[in-house]
Structures are given as C-alpha cells and as structure tokens.
Amino acid sequence: MQGSVLLTIAVLGGTGKEGKGLAYRWAKAGYRVLIGSRSSEKAVTAASEIMQLLEGAASVVGTTNLEAAQQADIVVVTVPYSAHRDTLENVKDALKGKLLIDTTVPLIPPKVSKVQMPSAGSAAQEAREILGAEAEVAAAFQNVSHKHLLGEEVVECDVLVTGTSKNARAEVLKLVEATGLTGWDAGPIENSVVVEGLTSVLININKQYGSTYAGIRITGASNK
Amino acid sequence: MQGSVLLTIAVLGGTGKEGKGLAYRWAKAGYRVLIGSRSSEKAVTAASEIMQLLEGAASVVGTTNLEAAQQADIVVVTVPYSAHRDTLENVKDALKGKLLIDTTVPLIPPKVSKVQMPSAGSAAQEAREILGAEAEVAAAFQNVSHKHLLGEEVVECDVLVTGTSKNARAEVLKLVEATGLTGWDAGPIENSVVVEGLTSVLININKQYGSTYAGIRITGASNK
C-alpha cells in the first residue's frame, strides 16, 4: 500500500462520475477515502460500489459533504460548477488549515466549448475568495475524463496542477501520482484559468474532429 | 511547391526569432513572404538571411511593417507584447478585409510564469478591439519555441488555433500545416486566454523541471 502516512481524503460530490473515479484510484493506492454528498445515503451507496470494485481491500466510507470535510486531511471538490459556491460555503469552516483541491470547470451551457470564466478569474480563484486565506487551494484533474478513471486503463492525459503555494502543489502532485497519472506543477492559482479553460478547448476539439476524449500531454520535459 | 494559390504572407516583427522562423517555414513551403519591421533595413537583412538559408529558391522581401501589411493577403504579428498595440494601430487601415494572425503572448516581466491577461481578456482579443470588425483575427503559434522553427527539426509542440470565425481558423490551420506542425481548431477567439496563458504554464514547467522547451501535444484525437 502506498500513501504510507495514511492521509484521509474527502471527495465532495463523490457520487458523481469524476469523484467516484478519483476516490477509486486513491482508495486503491491505500488512502482512506470519505465520499461526501448532499445525500449521505447516496454517498454510502457510492462508497460500497467502490469497496466492491476493490474487493474490500480499501477504506471508503460515505457520509455528508460536511462530515467528510470535517474528518479529512485533504478535501477534493468534484461537483458541477452550478453547485460549486454552495458546496464550498457549506464546508468553509471545516476547511480551515486544510488543503482544498478544486477539480471544477466553470462550463456554462450551452456554449461549453467557449471559455467563460467567473469574475474571480477561474473557479479555483473563486474557491480561494470563498474560503479566504485560512485554507490552501489547489486545482487539478479538470481535463481528465471520468471514463478513464474507474478502471485500470492508462489515462492519456496529463494533469496540470496549480495552487496557492509550492507546498500545496507538491502535495497534490503526490496525489496525482497515486492515481497513476502524470502531474506537472503548472504554477500559481492565477494559472487555473488556463487549465480550466483547456477543457473548453478539448470539448471544441472533440466536436471538430469527432473524438470523445481529447486530452493533453506535456512534451520536452521530464518530471522524474 | 505548396501554397499553390501563391498567397502573400506579411510577418510583422519578422526580424525577431519567432517571426524569422515562421517566415522561413512559409517561404520554404512556397508562399511569398514579406518581412516587416519598424526598420526596413533590418527587414531587408532578415529577408536575405532567409533567402540564403533557402539557397534562393523562395520569395522573401523585407520592408516596413506598413508596406508589408498593405501588400499581403494574410498578416502575421510576431512582435513582443510591449509593441503589440502600436504595431497594430500603425497597420490598422491596411488590415481591412484581411486576416490577422496574432502570435503574441502578453508576458509581463518579471512574473512571466504567472498568467496576466490584459483587460480585453487576451492579446488576441485586444487585437480584435483595436482592429474592429473589418478584419478577422486568429491566434496561433504562442507555445512554439523559435529555436525549433529555423531549421528542419520536428517541432514537438502542437499549435492551438483560435479565431473569430471557423473560416479564419481553417485558413490558419492550412498555414500551420505548411510549417510542418500539427494544428488544432481550438475554438472562438475568447479561447485565446487558454493558449496564450499556456505559455506561462510551460515557462513554469521549464523552471520547475529544468527543461528548456516544454510543449504540448493533443492526445485522443486525429486531425487527419
């Protein structure tokens, strides 16, 4: 088992496809995972699905978003953008002194292939505004399709990690590695606009070239 | 020779490394290329350097930015961001009814690894504001290192193309192909923030991982 310090990771909105996929990969790597949801029943169901996939050799528990945030060392938010602000305001007090990893892309239907950022600059910077300086905020996994997480497939998409400090980004890069993906330090939280917006660019590429899971790879550098 | 319709491409700021590299690749592909500069002497020198590299089998002429823009079918701007607005205002009248390809990244030293966009949203959107609706504006080549253009090397970096219309993007994608690079339709001009900002992300990766020419590749899709 990796994750030897046995950190507990809360995945808010962990009943969704992206959240469930990440929870699966972290649980498999040995982390204790709390699935959070507005409905604790749904969270319990999602947790038991993941436990079945891993044949019981994992620690995954379902509960409410708030309880999950309270009990975790690191909190990951994987809700749709429409629920982003409410979810964060609900758990704000529980996040003091912790690290939030935001996976949100501020897609505004119907024009999801056009970059449309909130006034804060990006969803991650909006999270930063909501939580204040008492939590660290990082952002990652915005470009990765959930289809490739809940299984053993190699994910042909790198993960660009932004965050409010180099330490926060380093912490997230360890969690990226634990999922089997390749992560890169993409700089300060202000750079989140690039990574979140890249999802709209990839959606546009899927639309124009008939693909389904366009992704990106960094070339010309080594993170080993 | 490709480029059978014999379009004329003006490369404004074509005495710089990026501009010279692009001019070289297009001249080699058979396009007529006009190198523009504030100093026509410098432009003439750059043009003759490219002609020498291509052993005379090309059409490259040096002149002022304004004359180059007036005589060209498609105008490419490759100046540093600090000269972006002045250069465009200088050639604005000559661009009516034409296509501008903006390669500018609004890097603001010393924090070049942090995304810092102008109030228009991106350099390309700023160009759009300056030129008005009478010119089409596209943006491309922001992430490609000049080091790899002035020679025969395979460039390990894809080109994301944004623009004010699908036709404009299609036109640029042909010119990307002519340089030997792989281009992708990255959507409307509003998506330029992603591509321009990606340069800061790549600079950060170079800084963090000791690389020099980090780039990106699109995965999971085919543009053939």
Side-chain angles (χ1 to χ4, degrees):
Chain A
M1 302 251 278
Q2 293 169 39
S4 55
V5 288
L6 291 177
L7 287 177
T8 299
I9 305 172
V11 182
L12 311 187
T15 57
K17 289 172 180 173
E18 184 88 14
K20 222 193 279 186
L22 289 170
Y24 167 82
R25 295 231 167 184
W26 284 320
K28 193 173 167 229
Y31 289 91
R32 184 164 171 256
V33 177
L34 304 173
I35 301 279
S37 174
R38 277 181 298 186
S39 147
S40 61
E41 291 92 313
K42 284 188 185 171
V44 167
T45 303
S48 68
E49 281 171 24
I50 296 171
M51 286 298 282
Q52 282 189 320
L53 281 173
L54 293 170
E55 297 173 349
S59 169
V60 188
V61 173
T63 180
T64 62
N65 281 330
L66 183 56
E67 282 200 356
Q70 285 167 339
Q71 293 171 25
D73 302 298
I74 293 175
V75 178
V76 185
V77 59
T78 65
V79 299
Y81 181 61
S82 56
H84 185 246
R85 175 174 290 276
D86 282 355
T87 303
L88 291 175
E89 284 175 348
N90 176 39
V91 300
K92 177 180 173 176
D93 290 341
L95 284 177
K96 284 179 185 167
K98 294 182 181 172
L99 168 61
L100 176 82
I101 305 175
D102 201 336
T103 71
T104 307
V105 178
L107 296 177
I108 305 176
K111 296 216 165 189
V112 293
S113 61
K114 178 175 153 185
V115 175
Q116 299 177 85
M117 290 292 144
S119 61
S122 62
Q125 284 164 285
E126 197 166 65
R128 172 71 164 171
E129 282 185 3
I130 294 167
L131 299 179
E134 290 180 84
E136 294 255 37
V137 177
F141 299 107
Q142 301 97 326
N143 309 135
V144 177
S145 166
H146 62 81
K147 274 280 180 190
H148 296 128
L149 290 173
L150 205 63
E152 310 311 310
E153 262 182 281
V154 173
V155 178
E156 292 289 348
C157 186
D158 286 357
V159 177
L160 299 173
V161 177
T162 58
T164 45
S165 73
K166 196 161 161 41
N167 281 346
R169 299 192 295 269
E171 200 69 50
V172 179
L173 286 167
K174 278 186 231 164
L175 294 188
V176 174
E177 199 181 346
T179 65
L181 278 74
T182 300
W184 299 93
D185 182 336
I189 198 77
E190 289 82 357
N191 292 2
S192 303
V193 57
V194 172
V195 194
E196 296 176 18
L198 196 52
T199 302
S200 290
V201 168
L202 294 172
I203 289 169
N204 193 71
I205 287 174
N206 284 335
K207 203 168 74 175
Q208 301 296 331
Y209 300 94
S211 51
T212 317
Y213 304 116
I216 63 137
R217 285 279 196 209
I218 295 297
T219 60
S222 167
N223 70 347
K224 297 301 169 197
Chain B
M1 303 251 277
Q2 292 168 41
S4 55
V5 286
L6 290 178
L7 286 177
T8 299
I9 306 173
V11 182
L12 310 188
T15 58
K17 288 172 179 171
E18 184 88 12
K20 222 193 278 186
L22 289 170
Y24 167 80
R25 296 231 168 184
W26 284 319
K28 193 173 166 227
Y31 288 92
R32 182 165 171 254
V33 176
L34 304 173
I35 302 278
S37 173
R38 278 180 299 186
S39 148
S40 61
E41 290 92 312
K42 284 188 185 170
V44 168
T45 304
S48 68
E49 281 171 26
I50 295 171
M51 286 298 283
Q52 280 189 320
L53 281 172
L54 293 171
E55 298 174 346
S59 169
V60 187
V61 173
T63 181
T64 62
N65 281 329
L66 182 56
E67 282 201 357
Q70 285 167 338
Q71 293 172 25
D73 302 298
I74 294 176
V75 178
V76 184
V77 60
T78 65
V79 299
Y81 181 60
S82 55
H84 185 245
R85 174 174 292 275
D86 282 355
T87 303
L88 292 175
E89 284 176 348
N90 177 39
V91 300
K92 177 179 173 176
D93 290 341
L95 285 176
K96 283 180 185 165
K98 294 182 182 173
L99 167 61
L100 176 82
I101 305 176
D102 201 336
T103 72
T104 307
V105 178
L107 296 177
I108 304 176
K111 297 217 165 188
V112 293
S113 60
K114 178 173 151 185
V115 175
Q116 300 177 84
M117 290 292 144
S119 60
S122 62
Q125 284 163 286
E126 199 166 63
R128 172 72 164 169
E129 282 185 4
I130 294 166
L131 299 180
E134 290 178 84
E136 294 256 36
V137 177
F141 299 107
Q142 301 97 327
N143 309 136
V144 177
S145 166
H146 62 82
K147 274 280 180 192
H148 296 127
L149 290 174
L150 204 63
E152 308 312 309
E153 263 182 281
V154 173
V155 178
E156 291 290 347
C157 186
D158 286 357
V159 177
L160 300 173
V161 177
T162 58
T164 45
S165 73
K166 197 160 161 37
N167 280 347
R169 299 192 295 270
E171 199 67 51
V172 179
L173 285 167
K174 277 186 231 163
L175 294 189
V176 175
E177 199 181 347
T179 65
L181 279 74
T182 300
W184 299 93
D185 183 336
I189 198 77
E190 289 84 356
N191 292 2
S192 302
V193 57
V194 172
V195 194
E196 295 176 19
L198 196 53
T199 302
S200 289
V201 168
L202 294 173
I203 289 170
N204 192 72
I205 287 174
N206 284 334
K207 202 168 77 178
Q208 300 295 331
Y209 301 93
S211 51
T212 317
Y213 304 116
I216 64 139
R217 284 279 195 208
I218 295 298
T219 60
S222 167
N223 69 347
K224 299 300 168 197

mmCIF file of all heavy atoms in Angstrom, chain A residues 180-222:
data_model
loop_
_atom_site.group_PDB
_atom_site.id
_atom_site.type_symbol
_atom_site.label_atom_id
_atom_site.label_comp_id
_atom_site.label_asym_id
_atom_site.label_seq_id
_atom_site.Cartn_x
_atom_site.Cartn_y
_atom_site.Cartn_z
ATOM 1 N N GLY A 180 -1.920 7.218 -10.701
ATOM 2 C CA GLY A 180 -1.299 6.626 -11.887
ATOM 3 C C GLY A 180 -1.153 7.597 -13.036
ATOM 4 O O GLY A 180 -0.658 7.239 -14.101
ATOM 5 N N LEU A 181 -1.577 8.827 -12.840
ATOM 6 C CA LEU A 181 -1.455 9.831 -13.900
ATOM 7 C C LEU A 181 -0.151 10.614 -13.756
ATOM 8 O O LEU A 181 0.539 10.506 -12.746
ATOM 9 C CB LEU A 181 -2.648 10.794 -13.866
ATOM 10 C CG LEU A 181 -3.925 10.272 -14.557
ATOM 11 C CD1 LEU A 181 -4.610 9.210 -13.722
ATOM 12 C CD2 LEU A 181 -4.891 11.413 -14.837
ATOM 13 N N THR A 182 0.163 11.386 -14.776
ATOM 14 C CA THR A 182 1.366 12.212 -14.761
ATOM 15 C C THR A 182 0.979 13.655 -14.452
ATOM 16 O O THR A 182 0.166 14.241 -15.158
ATOM 17 C CB THR A 182 2.073 12.158 -16.131
ATOM 18 O OG1 THR A 182 2.430 10.802 -16.384
ATOM 19 C CG2 THR A 182 3.334 13.016 -16.137
ATOM 20 N N GLY A 183 1.548 14.205 -13.386
ATOM 21 C CA GLY A 183 1.212 15.571 -12.984
ATOM 22 C C GLY A 183 2.359 16.538 -13.220
ATOM 23 O O GLY A 183 3.524 16.143 -13.250
ATOM 24 N N TRP A 184 2.025 17.796 -13.369
ATOM 25 C CA TRP A 184 3.019 18.857 -13.595
ATOM 26 C C TRP A 184 2.664 20.060 -12.739
ATOM 27 O O TRP A 184 1.494 20.456 -12.664
ATOM 28 C CB TRP A 184 3.029 19.287 -15.065
ATOM 29 C CG TRP A 184 3.374 18.195 -16.016
ATOM 30 C CD1 TRP A 184 2.492 17.374 -16.671
ATOM 31 C CD2 TRP A 184 4.686 17.772 -16.417
ATOM 32 N NE1 TRP A 184 3.182 16.482 -17.459
ATOM 33 C CE2 TRP A 184 4.532 16.704 -17.322
ATOM 34 C CE3 TRP A 184 5.976 18.219 -16.103
ATOM 35 C CZ2 TRP A 184 5.617 16.055 -17.922
ATOM 36 C CZ3 TRP A 184 7.057 17.580 -16.701
ATOM 37 C CH2 TRP A 184 6.873 16.515 -17.594
ATOM 38 N N ASP A 185 3.675 20.667 -12.134
ATOM 39 C CA ASP A 185 3.481 21.919 -11.411
ATOM 40 C C ASP A 185 3.253 23.022 -12.432
ATOM 41 O O ASP A 185 4.168 23.422 -13.150
ATOM 42 C CB ASP A 185 4.726 22.208 -10.559
ATOM 43 C CG ASP A 185 4.587 23.484 -9.738
ATOM 44 O OD1 ASP A 185 3.796 24.363 -10.133
ATOM 45 O OD2 ASP A 185 5.276 23.598 -8.710
ATOM 46 N N ALA A 186 2.024 23.504 -12.512
ATOM 47 C CA ALA A 186 1.646 24.490 -13.531
ATOM 48 C C ALA A 186 1.615 25.906 -12.986
ATOM 49 O O ALA A 186 1.144 26.814 -13.656
ATOM 50 C CB ALA A 186 0.294 24.120 -14.139
ATOM 51 N N GLY A 187 2.123 26.088 -11.749
ATOM 52 C CA GLY A 187 2.281 27.443 -11.248
ATOM 53 C C GLY A 187 1.182 27.931 -10.324
ATOM 54 O O GLY A 187 0.372 27.142 -9.825
ATOM 55 N N PRO A 188 1.151 29.246 -10.112
ATOM 56 C CA PRO A 188 0.254 29.832 -9.108
ATOM 57 C C PRO A 188 -1.221 29.659 -9.465
ATOM 58 O O PRO A 188 -1.585 29.332 -10.600
ATOM 59 C CB PRO A 188 0.652 31.311 -9.103
ATOM 60 C CG PRO A 188 1.300 31.555 -10.422
ATOM 61 C CD PRO A 188 1.981 30.260 -10.780
ATOM 62 N N ILE A 189 -2.059 29.893 -8.490
ATOM 63 C CA ILE A 189 -3.505 29.680 -8.647
ATOM 64 C C ILE A 189 -4.066 30.526 -9.794
ATOM 65 O O ILE A 189 -5.049 30.143 -10.434
ATOM 66 C CB ILE A 189 -4.223 29.961 -7.302
ATOM 67 C CG1 ILE A 189 -5.614 29.359 -7.264
ATOM 68 C CG2 ILE A 189 -4.241 31.447 -6.965
ATOM 69 C CD1 ILE A 189 -5.658 27.887 -7.036
ATOM 70 N N GLU A 190 -3.419 31.661 -10.092
ATOM 71 C CA GLU A 190 -3.868 32.513 -11.207
ATOM 72 C C GLU A 190 -3.782 31.781 -12.546
ATOM 73 O O GLU A 190 -4.447 32.167 -13.509
ATOM 74 C CB GLU A 190 -3.029 33.792 -11.285
ATOM 75 C CG GLU A 190 -3.274 34.794 -10.171
ATOM 76 C CD GLU A 190 -2.503 34.475 -8.886
ATOM 77 O OE1 GLU A 190 -1.809 33.416 -8.843
ATOM 78 O OE2 GLU A 190 -2.590 35.265 -7.946
ATOM 79 N N ASN A 191 -2.965 30.732 -12.628
ATOM 80 C CA ASN A 191 -2.842 29.982 -13.875
ATOM 81 C C ASN A 191 -3.984 28.987 -14.080
ATOM 82 O O ASN A 191 -4.057 28.319 -15.115
ATOM 83 C CB ASN A 191 -1.489 29.258 -13.921
ATOM 84 C CG ASN A 191 -0.315 30.225 -14.039
ATOM 85 O OD1 ASN A 191 -0.514 31.434 -14.051
ATOM 86 N ND2 ASN A 191 0.902 29.710 -14.120
ATOM 87 N N SER A 192 -4.880 28.888 -13.096
ATOM 88 C CA SER A 192 -6.018 27.967 -13.212
ATOM 89 C C SER A 192 -6.885 28.265 -14.424
ATOM 90 O O SER A 192 -7.493 27.362 -14.998
ATOM 91 C CB SER A 192 -6.891 28.039 -11.957
ATOM 92 O OG SER A 192 -6.141 27.749 -10.812
ATOM 93 N N VAL A 193 -6.952 29.535 -14.820
ATOM 94 C CA VAL A 193 -7.766 29.895 -15.983
ATOM 95 C C VAL A 193 -7.336 29.099 -17.217
ATOM 96 O O VAL A 193 -8.180 28.703 -18.044
ATOM 97 C CB VAL A 193 -7.686 31.423 -16.257
ATOM 98 C CG1 VAL A 193 -6.268 31.904 -16.464
ATOM 99 C CG2 VAL A 193 -8.543 31.804 -17.452
ATOM 100 N N VAL A 194 -6.045 28.832 -17.322
ATOM 101 C CA VAL A 194 -5.542 28.072 -18.470
ATOM 102 C C VAL A 194 -6.046 26.630 -18.411
ATOM 103 O O VAL A 194 -6.539 26.085 -19.402
ATOM 104 C CB VAL A 194 -3.995 28.068 -18.470
ATOM 105 C CG1 VAL A 194 -3.460 27.130 -19.543
ATOM 106 C CG2 VAL A 194 -3.470 29.481 -18.678
ATOM 107 N N VAL A 195 -5.937 26.032 -17.240
ATOM 108 C CA VAL A 195 -6.249 24.607 -17.127
ATOM 109 C C VAL A 195 -7.762 24.367 -17.189
ATOM 110 O O VAL A 195 -8.236 23.465 -17.869
ATOM 111 C CB VAL A 195 -5.643 24.022 -15.836
ATOM 112 C CG1 VAL A 195 -5.668 22.510 -15.917
ATOM 113 C CG2 VAL A 195 -4.223 24.529 -15.600
ATOM 114 N N GLU A 196 -8.506 25.225 -16.507
ATOM 115 C CA GLU A 196 -9.962 25.090 -16.579
ATOM 116 C C GLU A 196 -10.436 25.362 -18.005
ATOM 117 O O GLU A 196 -11.260 24.621 -18.555
ATOM 118 C CB GLU A 196 -10.630 26.060 -15.598
ATOM 119 C CG GLU A 196 -10.298 25.742 -14.137
ATOM 120 C CD GLU A 196 -10.877 26.764 -13.153
ATOM 121 O OE1 GLU A 196 -11.797 27.516 -13.527
ATOM 122 O OE2 GLU A 196 -10.404 26.792 -12.001
ATOM 123 N N GLY A 197 -9.903 26.414 -18.610
ATOM 124 C CA GLY A 197 -10.305 26.787 -19.968
ATOM 125 C C GLY A 197 -9.912 25.751 -21.005
ATOM 126 O O GLY A 197 -10.582 25.591 -22.029
ATOM 127 N N LEU A 198 -8.841 25.041 -20.714
ATOM 128 C CA LEU A 198 -8.391 23.995 -21.638
ATOM 129 C C LEU A 198 -9.472 22.935 -21.839
ATOM 130 O O LEU A 198 -9.566 22.329 -22.914
ATOM 131 C CB LEU A 198 -7.108 23.366 -21.087
ATOM 132 C CG LEU A 198 -6.233 22.531 -22.002
ATOM 133 C CD1 LEU A 198 -5.876 23.262 -23.283
ATOM 134 C CD2 LEU A 198 -4.953 22.112 -21.267
ATOM 135 N N THR A 199 -10.320 22.753 -20.851
ATOM 136 C CA THR A 199 -11.425 21.796 -21.002
ATOM 137 C C THR A 199 -12.354 22.230 -22.132
ATOM 138 O O THR A 199 -12.801 21.398 -22.929
ATOM 139 C CB THR A 199 -12.185 21.645 -19.675
ATOM 140 O OG1 THR A 199 -11.264 21.223 -18.671
ATOM 141 C CG2 THR A 199 -13.299 20.620 -19.793
ATOM 142 N N SER A 200 -12.630 23.522 -22.224
ATOM 143 C CA SER A 200 -13.461 24.006 -23.340
ATOM 144 C C SER A 200 -12.759 23.817 -24.675
ATOM 145 O O SER A 200 -13.390 23.461 -25.677
ATOM 146 C CB SER A 200 -13.814 25.484 -23.144
ATOM 147 O OG SER A 200 -14.720 25.633 -22.075
ATOM 148 N N VAL A 201 -11.445 24.032 -24.689
ATOM 149 C CA VAL A 201 -10.678 23.799 -25.921
ATOM 150 C C VAL A 201 -10.761 22.321 -26.318
ATOM 151 O O VAL A 201 -10.966 21.997 -27.496
ATOM 152 C CB VAL A 201 -9.207 24.239 -25.732
ATOM 153 C CG1 VAL A 201 -8.330 23.740 -26.886
ATOM 154 C CG2 VAL A 201 -9.123 25.759 -25.631
ATOM 155 N N LEU A 202 -10.646 21.429 -25.349
ATOM 156 C CA LEU A 202 -10.707 19.990 -25.652
ATOM 157 C C LEU A 202 -12.108 19.576 -26.098
ATOM 158 O O LEU A 202 -12.258 18.737 -26.990
ATOM 159 C CB LEU A 202 -10.261 19.175 -24.423
ATOM 160 C CG LEU A 202 -8.784 19.356 -24.037
ATOM 161 C CD1 LEU A 202 -8.485 18.667 -22.701
ATOM 162 C CD2 LEU A 202 -7.844 18.838 -25.122
ATOM 163 N N ILE A 203 -13.128 20.195 -25.506
ATOM 164 C CA ILE A 203 -14.506 19.934 -25.946
ATOM 165 C C ILE A 203 -14.663 20.381 -27.396
ATOM 166 O O ILE A 203 -15.284 19.701 -28.219
ATOM 167 C CB ILE A 203 -15.521 20.658 -25.031
ATOM 168 C CG1 ILE A 203 -15.565 19.981 -23.645
ATOM 169 C CG2 ILE A 203 -16.915 20.688 -25.661
ATOM 170 C CD1 ILE A 203 -16.343 20.771 -22.596
ATOM 171 N N ASN A 204 -14.083 21.529 -27.731
ATOM 172 C CA ASN A 204 -14.141 22.020 -29.109
ATOM 173 C C ASN A 204 -13.434 21.056 -30.062
ATOM 174 O O ASN A 204 -13.930 20.773 -31.166
ATOM 175 C CB ASN A 204 -13.514 23.405 -29.212
ATOM 176 C CG ASN A 204 -13.825 24.068 -30.542
ATOM 177 O OD1 ASN A 204 -14.939 24.472 -30.797
ATOM 178 N ND2 ASN A 204 -12.835 24.100 -31.431
ATOM 179 N N ILE A 205 -12.286 20.549 -29.626
ATOM 180 C CA ILE A 205 -11.560 19.586 -30.471
ATOM 181 C C ILE A 205 -12.402 18.323 -30.663
ATOM 182 O O ILE A 205 -12.520 17.806 -31.779
ATOM 183 C CB ILE A 205 -10.170 19.297 -29.861
ATOM 184 C CG1 ILE A 205 -9.264 20.522 -30.089
ATOM 185 C CG2 ILE A 205 -9.542 18.025 -30.458
ATOM 186 C CD1 ILE A 205 -7.907 20.450 -29.418
ATOM 187 N N ASN A 206 -13.012 17.833 -29.590
ATOM 188 C CA ASN A 206 -13.891 16.659 -29.738
ATOM 189 C C ASN A 206 -14.991 16.926 -30.765
ATOM 190 O O ASN A 206 -15.299 16.069 -31.601
ATOM 191 C CB ASN A 206 -14.521 16.302 -28.382
ATOM 192 C CG ASN A 206 -13.542 15.607 -27.447
ATOM 193 O OD1 ASN A 206 -12.574 14.978 -27.893
ATOM 194 N ND2 ASN A 206 -13.784 15.709 -26.152
ATOM 195 N N LYS A 207 -15.567 18.117 -30.712
ATOM 196 C CA LYS A 207 -16.659 18.482 -31.616
ATOM 197 C C LYS A 207 -16.159 18.593 -33.055
ATOM 198 O O LYS A 207 -16.798 18.092 -33.990
ATOM 199 C CB LYS A 207 -17.234 19.838 -31.159
ATOM 200 C CG LYS A 207 -18.653 20.109 -31.583
ATOM 201 C CD LYS A 207 -19.228 21.324 -30.848
ATOM 202 C CE LYS A 207 -18.662 22.626 -31.350
ATOM 203 N NZ LYS A 207 -19.294 23.826 -30.731
ATOM 204 N N GLN A 208 -15.002 19.213 -33.261
ATOM 205 C CA GLN A 208 -14.499 19.469 -34.619
ATOM 206 C C GLN A 208 -13.893 18.232 -35.274
ATOM 207 O O GLN A 208 -13.891 18.120 -36.498
ATOM 208 C CB GLN A 208 -13.430 20.571 -34.601
ATOM 209 C CG GLN A 208 -13.893 21.911 -34.057
ATOM 210 C CD GLN A 208 -14.970 22.554 -34.916
ATOM 211 O OE1 GLN A 208 -15.031 22.347 -36.120
ATOM 212 N NE2 GLN A 208 -15.865 23.292 -34.280
ATOM 213 N N TYR A 209 -13.321 17.329 -34.465
ATOM 214 C CA TYR A 209 -12.571 16.206 -35.048
ATOM 215 C C TYR A 209 -13.219 14.855 -34.750
ATOM 216 O O TYR A 209 -12.628 13.814 -35.021
ATOM 217 C CB TYR A 209 -11.124 16.240 -34.552
ATOM 218 C CG TYR A 209 -10.406 17.519 -34.936
ATOM 219 C CD1 TYR A 209 -10.363 18.596 -34.065
ATOM 220 C CD2 TYR A 209 -9.823 17.666 -36.192
ATOM 221 C CE1 TYR A 209 -9.739 19.793 -34.421
ATOM 222 C CE2 TYR A 209 -9.198 18.848 -36.562
ATOM 223 C CZ TYR A 209 -9.155 19.908 -35.669
ATOM 224 O OH TYR A 209 -8.556 21.077 -36.031
ATOM 225 N N GLY A 210 -14.423 14.873 -34.176
ATOM 226 C CA GLY A 210 -15.152 13.625 -33.959
ATOM 227 C C GLY A 210 -14.538 12.726 -32.900
ATOM 228 O O GLY A 210 -14.811 11.519 -32.882
ATOM 229 N N SER A 211 -13.732 13.284 -32.027
ATOM 230 C CA SER A 211 -13.152 12.484 -30.942
ATOM 231 C C SER A 211 -14.055 12.567 -29.703
ATOM 232 O O SER A 211 -15.051 13.297 -29.688
ATOM 233 C CB SER A 211 -11.744 12.979 -30.619
ATOM 234 O OG SER A 211 -11.738 14.383 -30.410
ATOM 235 N N THR A 212 -13.727 11.794 -28.699
ATOM 236 C CA THR A 212 -14.548 11.765 -27.486
ATOM 237 C C THR A 212 -13.747 12.174 -26.257
ATOM 238 O O THR A 212 -14.271 12.766 -25.323
ATOM 239 C CB THR A 212 -15.099 10.339 -27.260
ATOM 240 O OG1 THR A 212 -15.541 9.827 -28.513
ATOM 241 C CG2 THR A 212 -16.286 10.364 -26.299
ATOM 242 N N TYR A 213 -12.479 11.801 -26.241
ATOM 243 C CA TYR A 213 -11.675 12.027 -25.039
ATOM 244 C C TYR A 213 -10.347 12.705 -25.374
ATOM 245 O O TYR A 213 -9.286 12.221 -24.984
ATOM 246 C CB TYR A 213 -11.402 10.710 -24.325
ATOM 247 C CG TYR A 213 -12.653 9.952 -23.981
ATOM 248 C CD1 TYR A 213 -12.920 8.704 -24.539
ATOM 249 C CD2 TYR A 213 -13.582 10.504 -23.099
ATOM 250 C CE1 TYR A 213 -14.078 8.021 -24.223
ATOM 251 C CE2 TYR A 213 -14.750 9.832 -22.793
ATOM 252 C CZ TYR A 213 -14.990 8.591 -23.355
ATOM 253 O OH TYR A 213 -16.140 7.923 -23.047
ATOM 254 N N ALA A 214 -10.413 13.808 -26.095
ATOM 255 C CA ALA A 214 -9.165 14.534 -26.358
ATOM 256 C C ALA A 214 -8.542 14.952 -25.031
ATOM 257 O O ALA A 214 -9.243 15.293 -24.075
ATOM 258 C CB ALA A 214 -9.445 15.765 -27.218
ATOM 259 N N GLY A 215 -7.231 14.877 -24.979
ATOM 260 C CA GLY A 215 -6.511 15.265 -23.755
ATOM 261 C C GLY A 215 -5.224 15.967 -24.147
ATOM 262 O O GLY A 215 -5.017 16.305 -25.314
ATOM 263 N N ILE A 216 -4.362 16.215 -23.168
ATOM 264 C CA ILE A 216 -3.072 16.839 -23.481
ATOM 265 C C ILE A 216 -1.940 16.070 -22.816
ATOM 266 O O ILE A 216 -2.111 15.412 -21.806
ATOM 267 C CB ILE A 216 -2.968 18.308 -23.019
ATOM 268 C CG1 ILE A 216 -3.078 18.392 -21.483
ATOM 269 C CG2 ILE A 216 -3.969 19.198 -23.696
ATOM 270 C CD1 ILE A 216 -2.070 19.345 -20.913
ATOM 271 N N ARG A 217 -0.779 16.173 -23.437
ATOM 272 C CA ARG A 217 0.465 15.690 -22.843
ATOM 273 C C ARG A 217 1.478 16.818 -22.893
ATOM 274 O O ARG A 217 1.526 17.569 -23.878
ATOM 275 C CB ARG A 217 1.035 14.530 -23.675
ATOM 276 C CG ARG A 217 0.322 13.221 -23.510
ATOM 277 C CD ARG A 217 0.792 12.508 -22.261
ATOM 278 N NE ARG A 217 0.400 11.112 -22.283
ATOM 279 C CZ ARG A 217 0.172 10.405 -21.171
ATOM 280 N NH1 ARG A 217 0.283 10.967 -19.966
ATOM 281 N NH2 ARG A 217 -0.164 9.138 -21.249
ATOM 282 N N ILE A 218 2.276 16.922 -21.851
ATOM 283 C CA ILE A 218 3.406 17.849 -21.878
ATOM 284 C C ILE A 218 4.573 17.144 -22.562
ATOM 285 O O ILE A 218 4.863 15.978 -22.279
ATOM 286 C CB ILE A 218 3.791 18.264 -20.437
ATOM 287 C CG1 ILE A 218 2.657 19.054 -19.790
ATOM 288 C CG2 ILE A 218 5.106 19.061 -20.430
ATOM 289 C CD1 ILE A 218 2.311 20.374 -20.472
ATOM 290 N N THR A 219 5.227 17.855 -23.470
ATOM 291 C CA THR A 219 6.393 17.301 -24.173
ATOM 292 C C THR A 219 7.645 18.099 -23.799
ATOM 293 O O THR A 219 7.552 19.215 -23.292
ATOM 294 C CB THR A 219 6.219 17.419 -25.707
ATOM 295 O OG1 THR A 219 6.070 18.808 -26.041
ATOM 296 C CG2 THR A 219 5.004 16.657 -26.191
ATOM 297 N N GLY A 220 8.799 17.504 -24.047
ATOM 298 C CA GLY A 220 10.062 18.242 -23.899
ATOM 299 C C GLY A 220 10.501 18.459 -22.468
ATOM 300 O O GLY A 220 11.425 19.245 -22.211
ATOM 301 N N ALA A 221 9.878 17.766 -21.512
ATOM 302 C CA ALA A 221 10.275 17.900 -20.105
ATOM 303 C C ALA A 221 10.096 16.550 -19.430
ATOM 304 O O ALA A 221 9.354 15.697 -19.907
ATOM 305 C CB ALA A 221 9.425 18.951 -19.406
ATOM 306 N N SER A 222 10.797 16.352 -18.318
ATOM 307 C CA SER A 222 10.666 15.115 -17.552
ATOM 308 C C SER A 222 10.374 15.443 -16.097
ATOM 309 O O SER A 222 11.041 16.289 -15.506
ATOM 310 C CB SER A 222 11.976 14.310 -17.643
ATOM 311 O OG SER A 222 11.954 13.285 -16.665
#
